Amino acid sequence: MTQQGVRWTADQVLALAPDAASRTAGSKLGAAGPWSEAGSSDEGTVWGLCRGSGSRPYQTVIDIADSTGPAYTCTCPSRKFPCKHALGLLLLWAGEDGSVSRGRAPDWAERWIEGRRERAAEKGTTGGASGTASPGDPEAARRRAERRAERITAGAAELEQRLADLLRGGLASAERAGYGMWEETAARMVDAQAPGLAARVRELGAIPSSGPGWPVRLLEECALLHLLDQGWLRRERLPDDLATTVRSRVGLPGSADGPPVRDRWLVLAQYDTVDTRLTTRRIWLYGAQTDRTALLLSYGAAGRAPELTLPVGLAFEAEVTAYPGAGQLRAALGERFTPPAPTRIRPLGLTTPEAAARFGEALRADPWLDSHPVTLARVIPTPDGDAWQLADADGDFGLPITPSPLSRPGLWRLAALSGGAPVTVFGECGHRGFTPLTAWPEGDGEPVSLC
């Protein structure tokens, strides 16, 4: 049952939006004007009729209490999920101005709600049957794994030769050759069934055009790629956890096989990265009892948002299961026992020197790590020439903010939230600095998403 006494904030609602256009359109529908018959129930459902361009209003229903996350339905033709009407209705509900009253759902909303409950019950009673299917032939699976390992080994050996040729000819040759050389090498790694190697090779191709200092950056990334190649070629000599990390970095699929950890998980941050093939959603969680950070990954085809959505600042009780590997924080979300609800939970914070040391420790376990999640306590966003840093309020140290957030509105939201006073900031600490993702003011203020 959802906690109806405490509503979501507008930021938490807008975090559900699949894209910026939906966020803007949903915000415009967050007022009472276009809505009629809006209501909510103690069971965690919200409904309403929204006036649109047609003769009939759109029927919108939201199940906030669903254990797998908010669920939506709307009679509008939009293919976005959630649509702007669902976002607008949630904003109206979150406003607590009396526009969404408590009551009994109308028939059209009740039919959808009951249908969801019935399907959930059927899934619960029949879910065990799917586990009775006989597994595939283990001997055939072993042979397939051996053949793939042989192809990856051949690809890694070829890549080693290409890196040696590059260094022998000089890094300037990479600028003259252009991106085509790297794309062709990446295609060879795809043929070798090593998508992790292919992705890192493609990243090399963009470095020569990345501005001053690119030869140093290219040499650094080539060294890491060489280290990964050598790790694969000598994986039998590595400790088990590190060997598992190498297999994961090369691109071999793994599965979450650790013991389930039940906790009350706070949603620290959620953001998407998009390329031509895939949208990847990263959701960071913090366990209140275990003081543990976990990463959930969700994927959507190009142009479509992933289905898993968890608004920042809410907490829910659930089990997560870790993926194997040294220093790996990725986990799979298991059974959820409560719906996401507002909370006063905050992660424990570190000083900036402690955060840098934490990143160094993580690098020992996974040398190919780009960044590590940390929470900074009592820091002040401060200009530093043309850049910014997060300076300790009680010390003489600070962490530079990575260049990418400097052009985003999130940096200015962070500066406005601070106003020169200390704040708590969660983000990713890496070798290029700190990327802020979420911030909390001093006291009991609500979190602000900076993504």
Side-chain angles (χ1 to χ4, degrees), residues 153 156 160 226-239 242-243 246-247:
T153 297
E160 283 290 279
H226 167 69
L227 183 64
L228 183 56
D229 273 345
Q230 291 299 314
W232 172 262
L233 295 173
R234 292 169 170 78
R235 61 192 181 281
E236 303 299 336
R237 308 179 194 175
L238 299 178
L242 184 56
V246 168
R247 286 193 288 270

Side-chain angles (χ1 to χ4, degrees), residues 134-422:
S134 60
D137 182 355
E139 179 60 24
R142 184 189 64 79
R143 290 195 299 269
R144 286 194 299 271
E146 287 180 351
R147 287 195 297 270
R148 181 170 184 181
E150 290 171 358
R151 284 192 286 268
I152 294 174
T153 297
E158 179 181 346
L159 182 56
E160 283 290 279
Q161 184 60 52
R162 296 199 177 202
L163 290 175
D165 292 343
L166 171 65
L167 296 179
R168 190 178 298 112
L171 295 181
S173 63
E175 187 176 30
R176 294 193 299 270
Y179 190 77
M181 176 186 73
W182 302 108
E183 185 58 39
E184 190 269 338
T185 304
R188 296 286 294 167
M189 297 304 104
V190 171
D191 292 341
Q193 293 186 290
L197 292 179
R200 286 185 170 270
V201 168
R202 287 194 180 96
E203 291 173 0
L204 292 181
I207 294 177
S209 60
S210 63
W214 70 263
V216 174
R217 293 192 292 276
L218 181 59
L219 186 59
E220 290 173 347
E221 294 303 321
C222 285
L224 285 172
L225 188 53
H226 167 69
L227 183 64
L228 183 56
D229 273 345
Q230 291 299 314
W232 172 262
L233 295 173
R234 292 169 170 78
R235 61 192 181 281
E236 303 299 336
R237 308 179 194 175
L238 299 178
D240 289 344
D241 280 351
L242 184 56
T244 300
T245 297
V246 168
R247 286 193 288 270
S248 173
R249 291 295 184 183
V250 164
L252 283 175
S255 59
D257 60 1
V261 177
R262 181 167 177 170
D263 205 336
R264 185 158 182 80
W265 298 95
L266 168 67
V267 184
L268 291 173
Q270 173 182 291
Y271 67 95
D272 295 347
T273 55
V274 181
D275 60 30
T276 56
R277 303 175 181 84
L278 198 66
T279 297
T280 303
R281 174 163 295 166
R282 289 169 169 81
I283 300 177
W284 286 109
L285 303 179
Y286 171 75
Q289 280 76 48
T290 58
D291 188 28
R292 171 177 177 169
T293 304
L295 173 65
L296 306 181
L297 294 181
S298 182
Y299 302 96
R304 296 184 63 87
E307 289 189 8
L308 181 61
T309 300
L310 295 170
V312 173
L314 301 187
F316 60 100
E317 189 171 346
E319 290 181 341
V320 302
T321 303
Y323 280 76
Q328 298 299 297
L329 297 177
R330 185 184 175 188
L333 183 60
E335 183 177 358
R336 302 192 212 182
F337 304 100
T338 64
T343 181
R344 295 185 182 276
I345 297 173
R346 289 192 182 187
L348 300 178
L350 306 173
T351 64
T352 56
E354 290 171 336
R358 183 74 61 86
F359 177 54
E361 293 170 3
L363 279 177
R364 283 204 300 268
D366 182 357
W368 305 277
L369 195 64
D370 291 323
S371 61
H372 189 72
V374 293
T375 300
L376 302 177
R378 292 184 54 76
V379 290
I380 301 173
T382 307
D384 182 21
D386 294 333
W388 283 70
Q389 65 174 334
L390 291 171
D392 280 321
D394 306 313
D396 300 325
F397 298 95
L399 281 176
I401 294 178
T402 50
S404 56
L406 297 180
S407 59
R408 299 176 184 171
L411 177 63
W412 306 113
R413 287 201 295 270
L414 176 59
L417 180 70
S418 166

